[in-house]
Amino acid sequence: MNVQIDHNLEEIRRFRPSPEFAAGAIAKPDLYTDAAADRVGFWGEQARDLLHWHTPFTKTLDWSNPPFATWFEDGELNVAYNCLDRHVLAGNGERIAIHWEGEPGDSRDITYAQLTAEVKKAANLLTSLGVSAGDRVAIYLPMIPEAVVSMLAVARIGAIHSVVFGGFSPDSLHSRIVDAEAKLVITSDGGYRKGRPFPLKETVDAALEKSETTVEHVLVVKRTGEDVAWTEGRDLWWDDEIALVDADHEAKAFPAEQPLFILYTSGTTGKPKGILHTSGGYLTQTAFTHRNVFDLHPETDVYWCTADVGWITGHSYVVYGPLTNGATQVLYEGTPDTPIPGRWWQIIEKYRVSILYTAPTAIRSFMKMGRQIPQQFDLRSLRLLGSVGEPINPEAWIWYRHVIGGGSIPVVDTWWQTETGAIMISALPGITDLKPGSAQVAIPGVSIDILSDDGEPVTGTDGGLLVVTEPWPSMLRGIWGDPERFTETYWEKFGDKYFAGDGARRDTDGDIWLLGRVDDVMNVSGHRLSTAEIESSLVAHDLTAEAAVVGAADETTGQAVVAFVILKERQQGVMTNEEASELLRTHVSKQIGAIARPRQVFIVPELPKTRSGKIMRRLLRDLAEGREIGDTTTLAETSVMTSIMEQVR
Ligand code: WTA
């Protein structure tokens, strides 16, 4: 277990909800009492309250065959209908669903009626291209309205989307397309980032060249107008095709357990896992948490979650949660500091954003830039702030609350994962006394515990392993095509308790503090990366004989990728270590994607190994973080660290 404790465990600041906030808050304390009295019944009630069911369910949870759960099994619904049509039918068609802001400054306001109309046409288009219920569609798009339209159109016809983040390489995209056996890819000519157009269609072309695939068509949205290569018969322009289809489309009901999407995430091995989510339970918990954790008042709030739809946060809190709840939200295409350093704050001022949900890594970069930047903008519309992706250190929490939030509004730190589908641990604003740096308490209806390595509940304030002890509606239903890996990864360790892979402890009030991953998964800027995946990429390069990767603490990105590489004998002396290191950094970035680019690659003569040949990453982490090297007595060769240190320092 490599739990790192890098924050202030003596945190004693508490922030009471203001009486005015508490009085108007959506969440009421009886949520906790109701859920405690009858957890399963509580979720049944939420599912009925928050969603429209074409066929009401009579069974709530089936946990007779753990770890395979079903929720609301005999109920039927249409996910897109819940996100769109019913708001229009209820008379809210003129409400803005999306204030879209392109990076170059172009913008579009889209009402619920307009979004519904676009999704209906897109659903007809997918059907005309031969996509039917259960088929997989890969979506590789920038943050433009068509990304949301595509996801909802796929959901509307009961097909399954696999959204791939636009920063991933041809290799990464290819392996995801192949694993899911996608029939269709939806992409664009490109998007805008950091003031420049970047290509996407080109990456799709390169991915599809790697091998024969199941892809029949590539549907291309025009965004940048840059030139693209074209494969006749396979490639189709979105606009041309949409113009040909019917405007009307009736949303058919699908079973609650109809698969909704696959989202790939990094695990402890080199191969990303396709996390599978289904419809009814997922939608219930995303809608419930979006409403209660963010205190959403859909008639008056303007909500903004800054995550890309390529990550789970974008799925649950840009697309499904907010739209199910009929929220008005901002969708922004670009980078936070383009073309001006205060771009985000300018957007908040422009749309009078009242709820902001973002990641600690962003907050820390803004802290570095200084408060004079946000202070140039009117941020008084904000009334609630959220954080997700990694532990937020108390100093960043306080800065967020004061500099961005004006000093008195709630900040909620939300813990969850791609696998959990929706928020699991968070304060509820208006109820919970807030404590900077702690994710605090399980949401109503979710059961969390902290166990020792041998499965005993940890009492007191010692650290242990975070588990979910009871099934929850938005839980993953499996790993695409790999039921064994699903069981092995999450359920083998503690039987029918879900093992999250995070370390945690409770403080004397019982509040939960997350302590980081306990496996070989890194968290860089809130993105999950696997040490094994980056190691295999390094070893695949002709320069490399052996490689070891660690996540080292980093002031801005939380963790940073640091690699230690032994060159092949025949490569030694061919170029300088600096050149080799630069070459390898670029190689990883090309092979996996820019987010995986190592901060440093150290060329070393040896790696520290135990007598059984296992690399001792703990020692490399000490080195990468500039700490005193820990216990080296289990090393096969104790002099190794000295020779590595000579190279590194
Ligand atoms: C980490 C992102 C501490 C954690 C939603 C988890 C957090 C992994 C928090 C999941 C938080 C996420 N405090 N750690 N509030 N939120 N994490 O799948 O290690 O991209 O296991 O989902 O991020 O990352 P994922």
Side-chain angles (χ1 to χ4, degrees):
M1 207 167 83
N2 56 44
V3 176
Q4 281 174 303
I5 302 176
D6 56 0
H7 51 62
N8 178 9
L9 294 178
E10 302 306 313
E11 182 59 51
I12 45 154
R13 283 168 284 196
R14 299 273 188 295
F15 300 95
R16 275 264 138 81
S18 74
E20 305 83 71
F21 194 102
I26 295 277
K28 300 286 179 229
D30 56 3
L31 289 176
Y32 288 108
T33 36
D34 290 356
D38 176 7
R39 196 180 58 83
V40 173
F42 167 81
W43 283 120
E45 207 174 296
Q46 295 305 328
R48 278 184 283 266
D49 282 358
L50 294 164
L51 306 183
H52 171 86
W53 293 87
H54 280 70
T55 313
F57 54 91
T58 62
K59 283 197 289 183
T60 304
L61 166 69
D62 184 349
W63 189 233
S64 57
N65 179 30
F68 299 93
T70 65
W71 284 88
F72 318 123
E73 194 189 324
D74 60 350
E76 290 186 318
L77 77 171
N78 183 290
V79 169
Y81 180 91
N82 272 281
C83 293
L84 302 166
D85 311 52
R86 67 166 171 147
H87 303 312
V88 179
L89 294 170
N92 294 320
E94 293 316 303
R95 184 185 295 164
I96 302 286
I98 297 176
H99 290 293
W100 177 71
E101 181 83 11
E103 195 188 76
D106 48 341
S107 64
R108 249 177 96 189
D109 282 347
I110 306 168
T111 64
Y112 271 93
Q114 290 165 335
L115 192 63
T116 306
E118 289 203 24
V119 170
K120 284 182 174 178
K121 281 195 277 178
N124 283 328
L125 172 54
L126 294 181
T127 307
S128 78
L129 294 175
V131 179
S132 48
D135 286 344
R136 276 79 59 207
V137 175
I139 298 178
Y140 188 67
L141 282 171
M143 287 288 279
I144 54 176
E146 286 81 358
V148 179
V149 171
S150 301
M151 290 165 77
L152 292 172
V154 170
R156 191 174 184 93
I157 61 169
I160 306 171
H161 57 69
S162 161
V163 182
V164 180
F165 173 61
F168 276 119
S169 65
D171 274 318
S172 302
L173 176 60
H174 172 256
S175 64
R176 285 159 174 77
I177 288 173
V178 169
D179 187 74
E181 299 178 284
K183 203 167 188 178
L184 174 74
V185 181
I186 307 180
T187 188
S188 68
D189 47 3
Y192 290 94
R193 260 189 82 77
K194 298 190 181 150
R196 282 189 302 272
F198 69 95
L200 285 171
K201 167 72 163 60
E202 194 179 297
T203 310
V204 174
D205 290 339
L208 294 180
E209 260 163 36
K210 291 194 178 289
S211 73
E212 198 55 45
T213 67
T214 45
V215 172
E216 292 168 12
H217 289 290
V218 177
L219 196 53
V220 189
V221 178
K222 188 168 266 171
R223 166 66 183 133
T224 60
E226 302 276 302
D227 282 342
V228 291
W230 207 251
T231 305
E232 284 304 329
R234 185 195 71 182
D235 299 349
L236 306 164
W237 285 111
W238 172 282
D239 282 344
D240 294 351
E241 300 301 315
I242 281 281
L244 303 175
V245 296
D246 254 13
D248 215 17
H249 182 274
E250 200 194 327
K252 241 184 71 190
F254 292 96
E257 286 295 339
Q258 179 80 9
L260 179 60
F261 64 86
I262 306 168
L263 184 60
Y264 288 85
T265 188
S266 297
T268 51
T269 71
K271 189 172 178 276
K273 305 177 278 203
I275 303 298
L276 177 69
H277 282 286
T278 59
S279 303
Y282 172 79
L283 213 60
T284 299
Q285 196 172 331
T286 50
F288 172 78
T289 48
H290 181 260
R291 195 173 128 79
N292 289 287
V293 173
F294 301 125
D295 191 46
L296 182 82
H297 293 71
E299 309 77 19
T300 48
D301 274 316
V302 179
Y303 163 86
W304 183 20
C305 167
T306 64
D308 192 283
V309 291
W311 309 112
I312 191 67
T313 308
H315 282 61
S316 302
Y317 297 106
V318 174
V319 181
Y320 293 111
L323 295 176
T324 300
N325 290 335
T328 294
Q329 68 174 320
V330 169
L331 188 75
Y332 172 55
E333 177 186 34
T335 28
D337 52 357
T338 308
I340 55 165
R343 183 64 190 275
W344 271 17
W345 319 122
Q346 185 186 45
I347 291 173
I348 291 175
E349 180 180 277
K350 174 173 175 186
Y351 295 107
R352 317 283 312 138
V353 171
S354 55
I355 304 169
L356 177 68
Y357 190 31
T358 191
T361 185
I363 299 164
R364 288 192 302 265
S365 4
F366 291 126
M367 280 173 82
K368 259 197 188 157
M369 287 156 67
R371 62 179 66 202
Q372 68 283 359
I373 293 171
Q375 278 170 352
Q376 292 159 16
F377 300 90
D378 180 0
L379 305 180
R380 284 172 303 177
S381 54
L382 288 170
R383 57 175 207 90
L384 186 133
L385 302 172
S387 172
V388 61
E390 56 178 311
I392 177 165
N393 42 310
E395 291 345 295
W397 194 103
I398 296 285
W399 190 90
Y400 195 25
R401 177 168 159 111
H402 281 264
V403 178
I404 305 306
S408 62
I409 65 175
V411 176
V412 288
D413 175 14
T414 62
W415 178 90
W416 58 294
Q417 307 177 299
T418 305
E419 292 87 340
T420 69
I423 294 169
M424 303 290 277
I425 305 178
S426 171
L428 289 187
I431 300 180
T432 321
D433 286 356
L434 301 170
K435 192 185 286 177
S438 165
Q440 302 202 279
V441 288
I443 62 153
V446 164
S447 312
I448 297 281
D449 206 353
I450 297 171
L451 303 182
S452 68
D453 210 37
D454 47 20
E456 291 302 315
V458 171
T459 52
T461 58
D462 288 344
L465 304 172
L466 189 77
V467 295
V468 188
T469 58
E470 301 288 346
W472 63 103
S474 63
M475 68 195 280
L476 75 165
R477 300 300 196 264
I479 294 177
W480 184 255
D482 203 344
E484 261 160 53
R485 191 171 176 198
F486 170 59
T487 309
E488 245 171 57
T489 310
Y490 306 107
W491 306 95
E492 213 137 78
K493 196 165 172 65
F494 299 123
D496 61 359
K497 297 186 175 79
Y498 170 85
F499 172 48
D502 279 43
R505 65 179 280 276
R506 284 197 192 85
D507 63 18
T508 46
D509 299 326
D511 280 325
I512 297 168
W513 294 73
L514 276 308
L515 303 174
R517 301 286 307 192
V518 296
D519 51 15
D520 292 326
V521 172
M522 296 170 287
N523 190 326
V524 179
S525 299
H527 300 317
R528 272 164 72 168
L529 295 170
S530 137
T531 50
E533 194 179 357
I534 298 176
E535 283 169 7
S536 353
S537 163
L538 285 166
V539 173
H541 195 280
D542 194 42
L543 280 173
T544 311
E546 247 192 291
V549 166
V550 298
D554 183 284
E555 231 182 80
T556 309
T557 59
Q559 282 188 309
V561 180
V562 177
F564 297 83
V565 168
I566 306 178
L567 297 182
K568 281 181 184 157
E569 207 140 327
R570 63 183 160 80
Q571 298 285 12
Q572 292 178 10
V574 174
M575 57 181 85
T576 65
N577 283 354
E578 287 70 38
E579 286 165 340
S581 156
E582 196 43 41
L583 214 71
L584 290 170
R585 291 174 67 220
T586 309
H587 164 76
V588 173
S589 154
K590 275 203 187 130
Q591 241 205 348
I592 303 177
I595 45 167
R597 184 185 176 90
R599 184 183 71 188
Q600 289 154 308
V601 174
F602 293 114
I603 307 296
V604 294
E606 290 168 281
L607 290 173
K609 289 185 185 160
T610 60
R611 268 166 282 258
S612 60
K614 211 168 133 42
I615 295 175
M616 293 189 70
R617 290 199 179 69
R618 171 173 63 77
L619 298 178
L620 294 174
R621 198 173 307 116
D622 288 343
L623 203 64
E625 293 177 349
R627 253 197 314 274
E628 198 69 33
I629 304 295
D631 183 11
T632 56
T633 48
T634 50
L635 279 180
E637 196 70 68
T638 46
S639 63
V640 171
M641 285 314 288
T642 328
S643 68
I644 299 177
M645 256 148 61
E646 274 165 18
Q647 288 301 317
V648 172
R649 294 220 168 118

